[in-house]
Amino acid sequence: MKNYKIFTAILLLTLFSVSCKKDYLERTPGVAISEDDIFADPALAARFADNAYNYVITKYVRFNDHRGCTAQASDEAVSGNSEGSVTSLNRGLYHDHSNGPSLNDIYGVWKLMYAGISVENKMLARIGEVPPSPNASVPIFDAKRVEGEMRFLRALSYFELTKRFGGVPIIDKVYAVTDDLNSIPRSSFAQVTDFILKDIEVALTKLGTDADYGASNYGRPTLGAALALKARVLLYAASPLNNPNNDKTKWQAAATAAAEVMKGVDGLAKQAYSLQDNYGELLNLPNSPEYIMMRIKGPTPLAGEMMQDFSMSPGSGGAQGQMNPTQNHVDMYEMANGKAITDPTSGYDPKNPYLNREPRFYNNIIYNDLAWQGRKIEMWTSTDASGKVSYGKDYSTTITYTATRYYCKKYWPEVYRTVGGSTTLLNYLYFRYGEILLNYAEAQNEATGPDASVYAQLVALRKRAKIAPGTGTYGYGLKDNMTQDEMRIAIRHERAIELAFEDHRWYDIMRWKIGAQTIAVPMKGMDVVKNTNGSFTYTPIVLGPTFQKSWTEAQNLYPIPRAEIYKSKGALIQNPGWE
């Protein structure tokens, strides 16, 4: 098992409640431990460092605890019951979104990241005071590794902030209680990115490879994770939102960083990561050659929590089937031959729209008449001679059922059943090898154009997806001799399919500045009618106004939370277009 996986036990660890008071941390009610005592004890210092893992994002479905995700904000899906935190993003009401008490994508993330940064700053400031472990052969506190982890986690926290807000205040040291942190102004995006990259460079000298970490160090980021984070940071820095002049050197830096991950990190003697054979199992395994950094979420219990109360059709025992992929997303899946459904030679039949689609469609989407968990999924309506309308088991006009006639297979594995089923894993992937290939392809295409190495990454992904080899120089449905613009479209399409529902699409839309083309367009679903002979009639429809989304250019960045603006008394300048 990869050593850098973030396990539930580490992430849920709450050893210390970090107080704003200067001199103590509380271990148990009524028992105060001074900071000096903590950093004088290797065991306590190690546990303090582990507390930093409580302040990272750990799941895809995180709005209102487990009832919303960024996929529903993007064009990937809609929320079947119009969950408030998702609707506020869909309508551009971002300040409303930031008022909720549970983790959300604006103020919740802002507070979570800065809370983690405070732990990491404290650990980095006092790491030199921690004495050697009593048993030097098995150190309780490995100062080198801990510094690498703190630098990595701080870099990750600042990246999560910059990809949402752009430039943010840099807090890089421990402040006294009397210091006014509210008056610290925002640094620019470039300045924060430089700060992130410096932390990563230090982490690269401190962290070990997979081979260096044993079972006792599961849950730690490795050298591979640091390289993957660097590649993603540089990709965002090169993207249109943050690189308006299209500086090619920024794209080349991103391509070079991704290539470092692809080259391998075990002393460069071998490739450390590879594509998993079965795309459909990516979120559901305890270990995979594709995992670079991940958090195991599981086994997920049968009652409550995300799957039953968010993903599952009520007809299959779910409470609310809120996660509804759009027709917009479904139409992006090509045919098994790699041709778009809009290609008249593709073989697409609108009367049988789910026949012979590319395999990732069947991995990601639950559709009408799919054989699923021992029966056929029923998302149809039927009208008898008297005009009475009846409904299939998995569709109704009530808000607890799908609004689009689709459910998300990625968030509802077949093994997960309320009757006669079992628990299942549903991992949160921070970095996987498939993303690295896409990062390289995008950056290299923008830096130099669609050379053979760009094609090679798409071929690898489409081959793994089991798209038919086809003909041509590269095959797999890829056009020969693409222009840079054509390849850009192909890469963005591949990214939308390969990384579907994995917390990328929403932020890709922001960094590419394509919200007007993807969000401010009609959101669609499928009308399914069961005929008297048992066949089905499929008609794409525009969803009702409840499920439509808006977009302005201001939404390429989130607003700085109003509470932070007010507290700063003018020190924090709001993002353009937000009050």
Side-chain angles (χ1 to χ4, degrees):
M1 188 175 293
K2 300 285 187 184
N3 307 316
Y4 36 75
K5 297 167 188 166
I6 307 295
F7 280 81
T8 303
I10 292 177
L11 286 166
L12 297 181
L13 174 65
T14 309
L15 171 65
F16 302 112
S17 175
V18 182
S19 171
C20 62
K21 297 182 180 179
K22 184 177 180 181
D23 296 326
Y24 74 87
L25 299 170
E26 204 169 69
R27 177 173 58 178
T28 58
V31 179
I33 305 175
S34 72
E35 286 184 8
D36 290 341
D37 288 340
I38 289 169
F39 296 111
D41 184 325
L44 290 179
R47 294 172 73 184
F48 180 89
D50 283 347
N51 189 44
Y53 288 95
N54 286 310
Y55 302 100
V56 294
I57 292 171
T58 62
K59 56 185 180 180
Y60 301 111
V61 186
R62 57 184 180 265
F63 303 164
N64 192 14
D65 185 47
H66 63 269
R67 295 187 180 90
C69 59
T70 59
Q72 295 166 307
S74 77
D75 58 344
E76 290 179 315
V78 296
S79 175
N81 74 347
S82 302
E83 204 282 326
S85 59
V86 175
T87 302
S88 61
L89 288 180
N90 292 344
R91 307 292 169 81
L93 306 174
Y94 286 15
H95 287 302
D96 294 343
H97 183 73
S98 66
N99 292 335
S102 59
L103 179 62
N104 58 63
D105 214 44
I106 301 181
Y107 205 9
V109 168
W110 178 282
K111 291 186 287 188
L112 188 72
M113 294 303 107
Y114 276 113
I117 288 165
S118 70
V119 174
E120 293 134 20
N121 284 342
K122 177 73 73 176
M123 188 71 254
L124 289 169
R126 305 202 65 169
I127 195 169
E129 303 171 33
V130 182
S133 303
N135 184 352
S137 63
V138 185
I140 298 172
F141 184 89
D142 183 338
K144 180 181 178 181
R145 174 184 55 75
V146 169
E147 181 178 357
E149 291 179 20
M150 295 302 103
R151 296 278 187 174
F152 173 89
L153 291 173
R154 189 168 69 176
L156 180 61
S157 295
Y158 274 114
F159 172 71
E160 293 293 344
L161 290 168
T162 58
K163 83 176 186 182
R164 290 167 171 81
F165 304 101
V168 295
I170 295 176
I171 310 296
D172 60 353
K173 63 181 181 179
V174 178
Y175 286 83
V177 175
T178 54
D179 291 331
D180 182 12
L181 273 70
N182 296 324
S183 64
I184 298 175
R186 298 174 66 178
S187 296
S188 68
F189 174 87
Q191 289 170 328
V192 183
T193 298
D194 285 344
F195 181 80
I196 291 169
L197 293 172
K198 287 176 182 177
D199 262 353
I200 293 173
E201 291 305 317
V202 175
L204 289 171
T205 68
K206 307 290 184 180
L207 296 172
T209 65
D210 298 354
D212 296 324
Y213 284 177
S216 63
N217 283 314
Y218 282 171
R220 316 292 181 186
T222 61
L223 180 60
L227 288 172
L229 176 57
K230 179 180 178 180
R232 191 186 290 175
V233 168
L234 289 170
L235 181 74
Y236 273 67
S239 298
L241 177 63
N242 304 307
N243 184 19
N245 296 323
N246 197 27
D247 183 345
K248 298 291 186 180
T249 63
K250 293 184 177 181
W251 286 113
Q252 191 59 65
T256 300
E260 284 298 305
V261 187
M262 294 158 59
K263 192 187 307 180
V265 295
D266 286 335
L268 304 184
K270 66 182 183 67
Q271 182 174 309
Y273 311 107
S274 59
L275 293 175
Q276 178 180 291
D277 289 339
N278 187 348
Y279 171 86
E281 294 179 342
L282 271 171
L283 300 189
N284 312 120
L285 295 173
N287 187 31
S288 167
E290 188 157 345
Y291 295 160
I292 300 175
M293 180 175 173
M294 53 90 77
R295 183 251 190 179
I296 287 184
K297 174 71 170 68
T300 298
L302 287 174
E305 246 291 329
M306 188 273 282
M307 290 187 195
Q308 190 173 356
D309 198 30
F310 178 75
S311 301
M312 296 178 67
S313 160
S316 295
Q320 300 183 74
Q322 301 179 36
M323 181 59 186
N324 309 152
T326 62
Q327 193 66 43
N328 308 53
H329 177 72
V330 166
D331 285 347
M332 296 183 75
Y333 291 88
E334 297 165 334
M335 301 299 287
N337 56 20
K339 296 182 178 182
I341 65 171
T342 55
D343 184 335
T345 68
S346 68
Y348 176 70
D349 180 2
K351 295 181 180 179
N352 295 286
Y354 312 129
L355 184 66
N356 295 328
R357 301 296 285 272
E358 74 125 294
R360 287 174 296 189
F361 170 77
Y362 303 107
N363 294 136
N364 292 342
I365 305 296
I366 294 173
Y367 54 91
N368 181 66
D369 210 37
L370 171 70
W372 189 246
Q373 299 187 339
R375 67 175 180 85
K376 294 289 188 71
I377 290 291
E378 301 177 2
M379 289 187 281
W380 44 261
T381 61
S382 180
T383 306
D384 64 18
S386 68
K388 180 181 178 182
V389 178
S390 58
Y391 300 88
K393 292 181 180 179
D394 303 290
Y395 175 69
S396 171
T397 54
T398 61
I399 61 174
T400 56
Y401 289 82
T402 175
T404 62
R405 315 290 178 98
Y406 299 107
Y407 293 100
C408 179
K409 193 185 247 189
K410 228 173 196 178
Y411 288 178
W412 178 16
E414 186 163 21
V415 68
Y416 189 90
R417 311 183 188 195
T418 56
V419 179
S422 65
T423 59
T424 186
L425 303 174
L426 191 74
N427 304 323
Y428 182 82
L429 305 185
Y430 291 95
F431 306 100
R432 66 175 175 92
Y433 192 61
E435 181 210 341
I436 299 300
L437 302 188
L438 288 164
N439 291 354
Y440 174 83
E442 180 181 346
Q444 183 71 5
N445 181 59
E446 297 297 340
T448 66
D451 61 26
S453 71
V454 175
Y455 271 97
Q457 313 320 315
L458 300 192
V459 167
L461 291 167
R462 293 166 76 83
K463 184 176 181 180
R464 188 268 295 274
K466 297 181 173 55
I467 291 173
T471 60
T473 302
Y474 299 101
Y476 298 97
L478 295 172
K479 177 185 174 183
D480 289 344
N481 302 314
M482 279 192 260
T483 66
Q484 185 180 56
D485 290 344
E486 288 174 328
M487 179 58 81
R488 181 183 303 117
I489 293 170
I491 291 168
R492 291 182 178 184
H493 172 269
E494 196 67 26
R495 192 173 177 95
I497 299 302
E498 174 69 23
L499 302 179
F501 313 119
E502 293 182 29
D503 219 12
H504 287 278
R505 178 67 173 171
W506 179 238
Y507 307 112
D508 284 345
I509 288 170
M510 293 165 67
R511 69 182 179 90
W512 291 332
K513 302 179 68 174
I514 61 169
Q517 295 81 46
T518 57
I519 304 299
V521 297
M523 291 293 122
K524 298 179 180 180
M526 182 70 80
D527 182 50
V528 184
V529 174
K530 185 175 183 179
N531 303 312
T532 55
N533 64 359
S535 65
F536 299 99
T537 298
Y538 295 97
T539 307
I541 59 170
V542 175
L543 299 173
T546 301
F547 304 102
Q548 298 306 317
K549 307 176 184 186
S550 63
W551 186 267
T552 66
E553 287 306 295
Q555 289 173 258
N556 290 320
L557 290 173
Y558 287 163
I560 303 298
R562 278 177 173 162
E564 298 299 314
I565 295 289
Y566 296 154
K567 286 191 297 184
S568 77
K569 297 180 181 178
L572 289 181
I573 305 301
Q574 185 58 277
N575 278 326
W578 299 104
E579 296 179 358

